[in-house]
Amino acid sequence: MSTPASILLVGLGGAGCSMVTRLSAQLPAEVAVALLDTDARSLPAGTAQTLQLGRAQTRGMGTGGEAALGLASAESEEAGLRRLFAGVPLVVLVTGLGGGTGSGAAPVVAGLAAETGATVLSFATMPFSHEGERRMRQANDATVKLGQKCHGLVVVHNDLLLQQVSPDAPLSESFAAADNWVGGAIRGLASAFAPGALIAVDPAAVRSLLSTPGSPTLFAYGVGEGEGAAMKAARAACDCPLAHAPGAVAKVASLFVYVAGGPAMTSTEAFEAVAAVRTRFGGETSTVLCARIEPALGDRIEVSVLGASLPAPKAPAKPKKGAKAEDPAQPIFEFATEESMRRGLFGGTPMTFIDGQDVDVPAYIRKAVRLPPSP
Amino acid sequence: MTPKPLPSLIAVIDIGTHKTASLLGQIIDGKARMLSFSERRTDGVVKGTVTDLEKLTQCVHEVVNDIERGSGRAVDHVYLSLSGPAAEGERVKGFVAVPAHDGKVTAKDVADAIASAKRLEPPSGRATILYMRQPTMLDNRPVSNPVGMAGKRLEVNFWRVTMEEGNMRMRVGMVNGMSIRVRDFILASHAAACATASDADKQGGVLVIDMGAGTTDWILYYKEHILCAGSIPVGGEHLTNDLSVALRISRETAEDLKLRFGSAMHRDTDVNQTIWKDGDKGVGDQQFNRGTITQVLSLRYQETIEFVRKDVLRRLEAIFPGHAVKLDQNMIPSGVILTGGSASLADAAEAVQLVTGLSARVGVPNFENESLRKPEYAGVVGLMTAAITDAPPPVRRPRGFLAQLKELFRL
């Protein structure tokens, strides 16, 4: 099967498209980019493939926050989406949940991509606590649905982004943190498919890591610089807020660790970083390591970690159409949803709203206060 | 309806999200002497809302059995506390134009005004549980007893507490299930205030904040009367939950760390202070940054107090529309009294002072029995105090469906 690219990075909805557009400048050649939205204005004419969803339903406008409209829009473009995903081994879907297109279309898009045989990894951002009840519920529902459709799901809480920067930093700076995380993941995954790595890896191993739909996914990213850069990067990855998000997976059975550095990086350094990461995240069953030299990084080293809790099955089962959710005999490994992720002991109880915020979510998360580091 | 004489035995039950406490007292010369006390872990209540009636009923029966066994006396009626979002309060008014023949207010005028206030129906599906008297106004001046005074326009005010009918029947039914009548409901925040605030406090003005496990109830007294009351669905469990989420520890560990190392104030010196979970530094012991604990708790605690402050202002603005209402020491000279389990959190008073700008202190219930002189028992002790001071009820209840229903439970 000849494919134009080994990884397809898909931005879905307003938030997804803008993040992918920001990222597309710094991507390796193995990554193709596609933008999907109902709103024609988010789809600039350029290098990226674009697909406007739901022309009949929305007539080029957005969905106005209606998830049902987003869902219908994606279903109406089924043929186009199948064409887009044909022959791509790995699809990385980036979307913002809470709005109409992201919440409604993401499960459909992910489902179609999985049906065409691609391994689907999704990055979904959750709305800020201050965006109110409706968007939060919509996002919450969407995470559950999306989790059943794709092979890996990393949830990025927007509240978390605010904790990454000083309170007076511009908003763009906090979004840059999310760009870094997703960018790191994509560079790591792309390098697994590209030749010329210092420690090469079989692309199939990465795919098999994510082969079980609905298993909890771990993702962390860190960068280090200067003296002992590898260890600094590993420590940064261990402290990555994504891995520390309340309810995130603490330890996993299978890990994919990607280490990239400038020409000065040695194998020893790379292995040290991997050892540090393994101590924190596990990876007892299997740890797939990929290291490569990127001259552009200079004296910086970056570490991305992707993990899944379940050992990869021998023959990755192709997701069957519509069979996942309905078959009671088949266990569904649900993702840690919004409920258990952030509401802790209150998960499963009705949300309590004061001033438009769910007050069961810890105050420090809603106020975006960065906690002192643990000893 | 003639006022009933004070019974010689009073039993009260305070159903909280975390604990259910019951106290049986013998009334001698208008003072309660404790006969027995029981306290059990509440089951079936989440965030102040009943989720499992069967478990809760079981729990209530257990505490009643405990106090009966402990005292050797049979309980035939109880006072129940009322807290959380289920009890909604609002101000109702009644007017009467004083007939002009001599311009003096008669007892009948007062009764008419009261009747007109109570003619206001509660929202559909809700039953009136309590009327609490607020200042009577004669020509817009507060008077304590208007009868015999000259004036034109008499206005009576009540703080009316209503509850969803089904919810009220459920609570009454729970107690009736063991052949015990509900003599009355008492607002939990009012009870907490009765146990901790002096008459002088209430006369000047005081805000009592009762932070339990599931809810934070508050009540504001001004010139001896209840001005308004409210409830925030956030409590001590939220403190525990925040800590458990932030440190990824169990509820029990979080609860323990909260009590041992928690504070309502976050100080720079807490950061980098390492604390151990068990202290023996053995296998399974964990170390934490104390700064994380105080940061997480102080944010939640202060936010909750801020919610209370906003709620107080919102209700005051509804009562005095168009006036610039300010919560300050002039209006509330006695400041804030903190009660409930979470009042024991270190530096709680300081945090309240910081958020509200009012002086604050932790209220310890004034009770003969030393074991109950803790802020967490302000509710149950206050129920007893309120039952004594408020009986016979100062205000007659309407003879509607509810009155008849209550009559049934009472005799």
Side-chain angles (χ1 to χ4, degrees):
Chain A
M1 194 164 23
S2 75
T3 54
S6 32
I7 297 186
L8 181 64
L9 173 64
V10 180
L12 173 65
C17 284
S18 62
M19 184 187 257
V20 168
T21 310
R22 285 195 301 268
L23 279 174
S24 58
Q26 32 160 325
L27 290 174
E30 290 76 23
V31 182
V33 173
L35 299 174
L36 314 173
D37 199 2
T38 49
D39 188 347
R41 284 169 305 171
S42 324
L43 306 171
T47 48
Q49 311 175 56
T50 57
L51 182 61
Q52 191 187 332
L53 301 176
R55 264 171 294 219
Q57 284 84 357
T58 68
R59 295 163 192 247
M61 312 289 278
T63 54
E66 286 293 334
L69 202 51
L71 185 126
S73 301
E75 280 173 344
S76 71
E77 272 322 308
E78 185 176 334
L81 289 168
R82 280 184 190 279
R83 262 199 308 281
L84 183 67
F85 297 130
V88 182
L90 182 63
V91 171
V92 180
L93 179 66
V94 179
T95 186
L97 300 181
T101 310
S103 314
V108 180
V109 172
L112 286 171
E115 274 174 41
T116 59
T119 301
V120 185
L121 174 66
S122 299
F123 283 87
T125 58
M126 300 297 281
F128 291 102
S129 291
H130 299 277
E131 289 180 67
E133 183 174 352
R134 180 163 172 267
R135 287 176 73 88
M136 197 54 102
R137 280 192 209 286
Q138 203 152 293
N140 212 352
D141 293 347
T143 10
V144 177
K145 287 189 194 134
L146 183 58
Q148 290 165 358
K149 295 288 183 197
C150 54
H151 300 87
L153 171 62
V154 178
V155 177
V156 181
H157 290 284
N158 275 345
D159 289 343
L160 224 52
L161 300 181
L162 293 180
Q163 294 178 29
Q164 301 316 306
V165 292
S166 57
D168 48 350
L171 196 59
S172 60
E173 207 169 290
S174 42
F175 285 118
D179 291 359
N180 270 337
W181 293 334
V182 179
I186 294 180
R187 279 193 297 277
L189 290 167
S191 70
F193 289 83
L198 190 66
I199 302 167
V201 62
D202 177 8
V206 179
R207 287 188 62 189
S208 71
L209 182 81
L210 293 170
S211 59
T212 318
S215 66
T217 310
L218 175 136
F219 176 71
Y221 174 77
V223 185
E225 217 171 338
E227 186 90 356
M231 278 315 284
K232 279 183 194 160
R235 225 170 289 135
C238 292
D239 286 342
C240 176
L242 280 182
H244 280 268
V249 195
K251 293 230 175 191
V252 295
S254 306
L255 277 183
F256 165 65
V257 186
Y258 166 69
V259 185
M265 185 180 75
T266 61
S267 309
T268 327
E269 269 189 310
F271 276 113
E272 264 175 17
V274 172
V277 168
R278 280 195 64 180
T279 318
R280 164 69 178 77
F281 295 118
E284 273 77 12
T285 311
S286 76
T287 299
V288 177
L289 170 62
C290 178
R292 65 187 304 128
I293 302 296
E294 297 276 354
L297 284 172
D299 66 343
R300 287 192 304 149
I301 288 182
E302 60 174 15
V303 172
S304 325
V305 184
L306 190 65
S309 262
L310 294 170
K314 285 186 190 86
K318 293 273 190 309
K320 289 188 195 78
K321 188 173 186 178
K324 279 285 161 279
E326 285 80 18
D327 187 358
Q330 186 164 4
I332 296 170
F333 300 98
E334 283 195 7
F335 283 95
T337 57
E338 172 63 20
E339 292 273 309
S340 56
M341 289 273 288
R342 311 203 304 159
R343 307 177 77 233
L345 310 171
F346 294 116
T349 66
M351 296 191 211
T352 314
F353 281 89
I354 298 180
D355 295 349
Q357 305 175 37
D358 178 11
V359 290
D360 293 336
V361 173
Y364 77 92
I365 295 184
R366 282 179 287 116
K367 290 180 186 289
V369 173
R370 193 171 194 178
L371 297 177
S374 48
Chain B
M1 192 162 85
T2 52
K4 289 183 191 307
L6 204 57
S8 63
L9 278 182
I10 289 184
V12 298
I13 305 179
D14 183 19
I15 303 171
T17 302
H18 191 67
K19 279 186 301 193
T20 296
S22 180
L23 180 62
L24 180 68
Q26 183 157 36
I27 311 306
I28 299 166
D29 298 336
K31 283 195 129 180
R33 197 170 64 82
M34 183 173 109
L35 291 180
S36 60
F37 171 77
S38 165
E39 176 181 47
R40 284 184 184 253
R41 178 94 180 79
T42 308
D43 270 333
V45 179
V46 176
K47 290 188 277 185
T49 309
V50 179
T51 53
D52 188 334
L53 182 60
E54 206 169 303
K55 280 189 182 158
L56 180 60
T57 308
Q58 169 86 17
C59 170
V60 169
H61 287 198
E62 277 169 359
V63 293
V64 172
N65 279 334
D66 288 347
I67 57 166
E68 285 190 332
R69 216 173 298 132
S71 63
R73 308 285 286 266
V75 171
D76 64 354
H77 63 257
V78 294
Y79 288 85
L80 282 186
S81 73
L82 202 56
S83 67
E88 178 62 36
E90 64 188 322
R91 183 185 172 111
V92 289
K93 295 181 187 192
F95 304 99
V96 69
V98 180
H101 62 274
D102 66 347
K104 292 224 169 101
V105 179
T106 62
K108 184 178 175 297
D109 294 332
V110 177
D112 286 351
I114 291 174
S116 87
K118 293 186 177 172
R119 264 200 295 278
L120 291 162
E121 286 285 321
S124 75
R126 297 186 76 87
T128 306
I129 301 287
L130 287 174
Y131 282 107
M132 291 191 283
R133 193 74 174 257
Q134 292 187 330
T136 302
M137 313 284 276
L138 187 61
D139 296 341
N140 288 330
R141 273 176 299 118
V143 289
S144 54
N145 183 8
V147 175
M149 291 174 75
K152 289 194 173 64
R153 185 173 181 275
L154 178 70
E155 175 188 331
V156 294
N157 298 297
F158 291 99
W159 186 254
R160 177 174 74 181
V161 180
T162 62
M163 193 182 212
E164 204 225 321
E165 272 178 26
N167 198 333
M168 188 210 61
R169 279 202 206 101
M170 178 187 79
R171 279 163 202 256
V172 171
M174 192 162 65
V175 176
N176 284 169
M178 45 191 327
S179 308
I180 292 174
R181 288 161 294 141
V182 176
R183 190 176 161 103
D184 213 344
F185 284 103
I186 294 171
L187 205 57
S189 50
H190 174 60
C194 285
T196 54
S198 66
D199 288 346
D201 288 335
K202 290 183 182 172
Q203 177 64 42
V206 66
L207 174 66
V208 177
I209 302 179
D210 181 41
M211 195 191 277
T215 62
T216 301
D217 298 274
W218 60 266
I219 192 161
L220 176 62
Y221 291 83
Y222 185 66
K223 304 278 179 228
E224 225 172 343
H225 289 285
I226 293 162
L227 193 55
C228 48
S231 178
I232 305 291
V234 178
E237 278 203 333
H238 287 83
L239 292 166
T240 309
N241 187 45
D242 285 13
L243 206 53
S244 122
V245 169
L247 301 179
R248 300 155 152 269
I249 51 179
S250 69
R251 177 203 294 254
E252 289 69 29
T253 312
E255 183 75 33
D256 177 53
L257 293 180
K258 174 177 91 173
L259 298 177
R260 279 164 57 210
F261 303 106
S263 168
M265 296 291 288
H266 173 65
R267 297 184 173 86
D268 291 341
T269 49
D270 296 337
V271 181
N272 301 329
Q273 201 179 322
T274 302
I275 55 112
W276 289 83
K277 188 184 81 184
D278 303 328
D280 60 0
K281 303 186 184 178
V283 177
D285 203 354
Q286 273 177 288
Q287 48 179 339
F288 299 105
N289 187 335
R290 176 142 193 257
T292 312
I293 298 177
T294 56
Q295 176 75 274
V296 168
L297 293 178
S298 63
L299 282 168
R300 171 65 88 173
Y301 191 87
Q302 293 177 16
E303 183 197 54
T304 308
I305 298 299
E306 175 64 19
F307 283 146
V308 170
R309 194 184 72 86
K310 279 190 191 160
D311 198 32
V312 175
L313 283 176
R314 189 176 59 80
R315 290 199 183 261
L316 285 178
E317 273 158 18
I319 293 175
F320 307 109
H323 287 68
V325 190
K326 239 170 56 182
L327 269 192
D328 56 19
Q329 209 73 31
N330 287 333
M331 183 185 173
I332 310 176
S334 287
V336 179
I337 298 180
L338 290 168
T339 64
S342 304
S344 308
L345 185 67
D347 307 319
E350 194 181 338
V352 172
Q353 220 152 339
L354 181 80
V355 175
T356 60
L358 296 164
S359 66
R361 63 188 160 96
V362 174
V364 177
N366 179 16
F367 197 61
E368 46 126 30
N369 196 298
E370 202 164 321
S371 60
L372 295 185
R373 281 191 218 145
K374 285 181 190 162
E376 58 191 288
Y377 296 122
V380 69
V381 169
L383 280 175
M384 182 67 77
T385 319
I388 296 169
T389 51
D390 295 354
V395 172
R396 290 192 333 177
R397 282 170 183 68
R399 295 198 56 85
F401 151 77
L402 176 65
Q404 286 162 17
L405 188 71
K406 280 185 143 185
E407 205 62 4
L408 280 177
F409 306 129
R410 202 168 295 179
L411 237 177

